[in-house]
Amino acid sequence: MAKRVFNFNPGPAILPLEVLQIIKEEIPDYRGTGMSVFEISHRSTDYEEINNSAMALMRKIMGLGENYKVLFVGGGASLQFAMLPMNFLGEGRTAAYVDTGSWSNKAIKEAKLFGNVVVAASSKEANYRFIPKFSEFKYSSDVSYLHITSNNTIFGTQYQEIPDTGKVPLVCDMSSDILSRRRDFGKFSLIYAGAQKNLGPAGVTVVIIRDDLLEKCRSGLPTMLSYQTHAKELSLYNTPPVFAVYVVRLVLQWIEKQGGLEAVEKTNRAKKDQIYGLMDKHPEFFKGTVNADSRSWMNITLRLPSEELEKKFLAEAKAAGFIGLKGHRSVGGIRVSLYNALTLEGATKLAEFMEGFRKAN
Ligand code: PMP
């Protein structure tokens, strides 16, 4: 048996052990081909099967119809910050963005290169400790789209409800909470997510786009930067990141096998309740940094009474096999990332460790 730690890394992050074991099995000889997935043509029927079934499974798990195209693109979620406005903005056009932290800001910065940006709402003044209420968003109904970041990996906030934007296309950076709970995915015109938290290894970004928005892509873009290219070519315009897509397919099968998003949500709810439950019992020791109604299920951010105690906590946690709990360098403190592959046992054991640390200190 491999020695595994409790992995709370914020991303790249933990993958299901079951998936890692399948990969290990299949590397020398992928299903009787005598080759690994990295060694076969992306135009082969074997890869085509991986590609098509990953797309179909993604739609099935999200409850989406054929009017949504699933694309596998390189360049990370950061390329999507630029590709999105490149495809849908242009001179005289405006997009609305909700500013809920560092990643929203990076998205806004890129959008400004291609058109006008209005910030529909922001929690910056409050150190990003909450998700602004939809009823307070300010944007006009003729914007090209409204962009939100469903989960804020660094600040530890998450939308509990998805806004209903009517005719205005809703676009979402779902990098750090995709497939972690049930959502009405049909509310979105476009969703993008880097794979390296809930879906697989870094190297592929999943883009899910509805046909009515896809039709509106600007023409005259570099071929690789147009969503229409990837949609038309079923993500096989050029050599795709085959290994990453292969692992995404295995992760989707793992989700499906558990019972889909209902089952995943149930486990994730129990996991976050372990940690927030303890924080609520001892708020003087475990100081949450966000408002209760905006708490992320994926990244729990907190401070201890002093920086010395935080250092001590991180060192003792590491020695006890709990890895990756240091807060982002821009905010400090502790961050507990509870992505899908982290088990309920992992969250429970960490809560026990935290309580032991509190009592000893
Ligand atoms: N958006 C969010 C919410 C993220 O957490 C991250 C990465 N941590 C990114 C975007 C950037 O992703 P990438 O590194 O794939 O460009």
Side-chain angles (χ1 to χ4, degrees):
M1 262 305 264
K3 179 182 166 286
R4 300 277 293 169
V5 295
F6 291 112
N7 180 351
F8 296 90
N9 279 329
I14 184 169
L15 284 169
L17 183 56
E18 243 177 277
V19 166
L20 297 178
Q21 279 162 342
I22 296 172
I23 297 168
K24 186 180 165 193
E25 277 285 298
E26 290 185 339
I27 281 183
D29 177 9
Y30 179 70
R31 304 190 186 178
T33 58
M35 298 174 276
S36 71
V37 173
F38 337 133
E39 299 167 294
I40 62 177
S41 166
H42 60 290
R43 311 260 173 226
S44 64
T45 50
D46 286 302
Y47 186 73
E48 228 171 59
E49 189 270 328
I50 292 171
N51 191 48
N52 295 347
S53 83
M55 291 172 178
L57 258 177
M58 183 72 76
R59 271 200 294 263
K60 183 173 177 209
I61 291 170
M62 297 176 108
L64 296 174
E66 300 273 336
N67 60 329
Y68 281 87
K69 301 291 172 280
V70 178
L71 319 178
F72 298 122
V73 187
S78 299
L79 180 63
Q80 294 311 307
F81 294 161
M83 232 172 118
L84 171 71
M86 190 184 277
N87 276 264
F88 302 113
L89 289 187
E91 224 183 279
R93 293 216 216 157
T94 301
Y97 280 72
V98 180
D99 167 24
T100 49
S102 317
W103 297 113
S104 315
N105 274 293
K106 289 194 170 159
I108 290 169
K109 179 173 170 235
E110 300 302 297
K112 284 181 175 165
L113 299 171
F114 299 98
N116 306 317
V117 170
V118 294
V119 176
S122 172
S123 49
K124 185 175 182 184
E125 294 298 309
N127 239 334
Y128 296 117
R129 55 181 301 128
F130 65 90
I131 298 288
K133 283 196 180 49
F134 179 53
S135 57
E136 288 160 17
F137 288 11
K138 287 193 177 65
Y139 61 96
S140 97
S141 59
D142 61 359
V143 293
S144 296
Y145 57 84
L146 171 78
H147 178 282
I148 63 170
T149 312
S150 53
N151 184 75
N152 297 281
T153 327
I154 295 175
F155 289 96
T157 58
Q158 185 180 30
Y159 284 76
Q160 306 306 318
E161 292 290 329
I162 299 303
D164 207 330
T165 54
K167 285 204 163 56
V168 172
L170 180 61
V171 171
C172 185
D173 174 1
M174 222 177 259
S175 294
S176 53
D177 69 347
I178 191 163
L179 305 189
S180 63
R181 58 200 284 185
R182 286 173 294 177
R183 295 285 200 191
D184 183 356
F185 294 104
K187 280 184 175 172
F188 298 98
S189 294
L190 189 151
I191 294 167
Y192 61 92
Q196 64 271 22
K197 298 165 203 304
N198 267 341
L199 295 177
V204 67
T205 302
V206 176
V207 179
I208 299 151
I209 180 168
R210 200 167 61 202
D211 287 344
D212 56 338
L213 185 64
L214 188 59
E215 279 168 19
K216 292 187 192 145
C217 290
R218 289 179 56 184
S219 54
L221 297 178
T223 312
M224 274 296 283
L225 297 176
S226 167
Y227 289 120
Q228 284 180 349
T229 303
H230 298 284
K232 189 163 148 265
E233 304 292 335
L234 300 175
S235 298
L236 291 169
Y237 171 73
N238 73 328
T239 317
V242 292
F243 176 68
V245 175
Y246 157 71
V247 181
V248 169
R249 199 266 293 257
L250 290 174
V251 170
L252 294 172
Q253 287 173 333
W254 171 80
I255 289 177
E256 172 92 333
K257 206 170 123 195
Q258 287 173 61
L261 290 190
E262 195 176 340
V264 169
E265 175 179 313
K266 194 168 162 226
T267 308
N268 284 338
R269 185 187 295 278
K271 281 154 56 182
K272 62 99 185 165
D273 283 347
Q274 286 290 323
I275 309 298
Y276 285 126
L278 179 66
M279 288 166 61
D280 286 340
K281 257 199 220 155
H282 305 288
E284 76 299 332
F285 193 83
F286 299 116
K287 301 167 192 283
T289 61
V290 309
N291 294 359
D293 65 0
S294 299
R295 283 174 166 178
S296 168
W297 292 22
M298 295 281 103
N299 311 98
I300 301 179
T301 49
L302 61 143
R303 305 298 309 238
L304 300 185
S306 71
E307 286 193 17
E308 288 67 49
L309 271 179
E310 286 169 351
K311 268 197 196 133
K312 190 169 177 226
F313 175 85
L314 291 169
E316 289 183 16
K318 192 171 172 194
F322 303 102
I323 302 303
L325 292 165
K326 193 169 192 279
H328 190 268
R329 59 188 184 280
S330 63
V331 298
I334 314 290
R335 171 170 52 173
V336 181
S337 297
L338 300 173
Y339 298 121
N340 285 354
L342 194 276
T343 58
L344 176 57
E345 186 204 359
T348 308
K349 286 259 162 70
L350 178 67
E352 285 165 16
F353 172 83
M354 287 167 71
E355 176 57 355
F357 183 85
R358 185 192 68 84
K359 283 191 178 140
N361 292 279

